[in-house]
Amino acid sequence: MTTTIDPTVTPVHPAGGAQQPAPAQPQTAETNGFSIASLVLGLVSIVAGFTFLVPIGGLVLGIVGLQREPASRTMAIWGVVLNTVMLVGTALVGFGMLAFGALTLPFLPFVATAF
C-alpha cells in the first residue's frame, strides 16, 4: 500500500483546524556605518592626527554609533578610544610647542634688539 500526498489538501493540525503559516518577520537591516566610520577615522587620525578635524569627526561618529548601533559596539568603542587618544596627544603636543616657543622667544636676537 502506497500513500500519495495530494498537494491541494491543506494539512490539519492535531488540535483541529488548518495549520497556519508563521507570520513573516520584518527584515531589519543592521547598519553599522557610524561605527565603521569612527574606527576608520581613528586609524586615519594616527597618521593625520595633527589636524583636529579628523579625530573630532571620528569621536562624534563613535559616540553616535554607540547610541544607535548596539550590534557594532566594539568598533565604536575602538573608534572613540583611538580618536580620543589622538586628540589629547595632538593637544598636548600643540601646547608643548606653544610653551617651548614662548620660552625661547626672549632669546631670539631680533626680538631683543627691537625693544
Side-chain angles (χ1 to χ4, degrees), residues 54-70:
V54 174
I56 288 175
L59 188 62
V60 168
L61 288 173
I63 292 170
V64 170
L66 280 173
Q67 294 172 350
R68 291 188 184 177
E69 302 165 351

Side-chain angles (χ1 to χ4, degrees), residues 3-53:
T3 334
T4 59
I5 299 175
D6 187 9
T8 59
V9 177
T10 58
V12 177
H13 193 269
Q19 187 176 10
Q20 297 293 324
Q25 296 292 329
Q27 295 290 331
T28 56
E30 283 290 325
T31 59
N32 50 4
F34 290 116
S35 301
I36 291 174
S38 173
L39 181 62
V40 168
L41 287 178
L43 294 172
V44 167
S45 69
I46 293 172
V47 176
F50 56 88
T51 65
F52 282 112
L53 298 177

Side-chain angles (χ1 to χ4, degrees), residues 41-56 81-99:
L41 287 178
L43 294 172
V44 167
S45 69
I46 293 172
V47 176
F50 56 88
T51 65
F52 282 112
L53 298 177
V54 174
I56 288 175
V81 168
L82 285 173
N83 286 304
T84 303
V85 166
M86 291 309 297
L87 191 61
V88 169
T90 302
L92 288 176
V93 168
F95 288 135
M97 290 171 64
L98 285 173

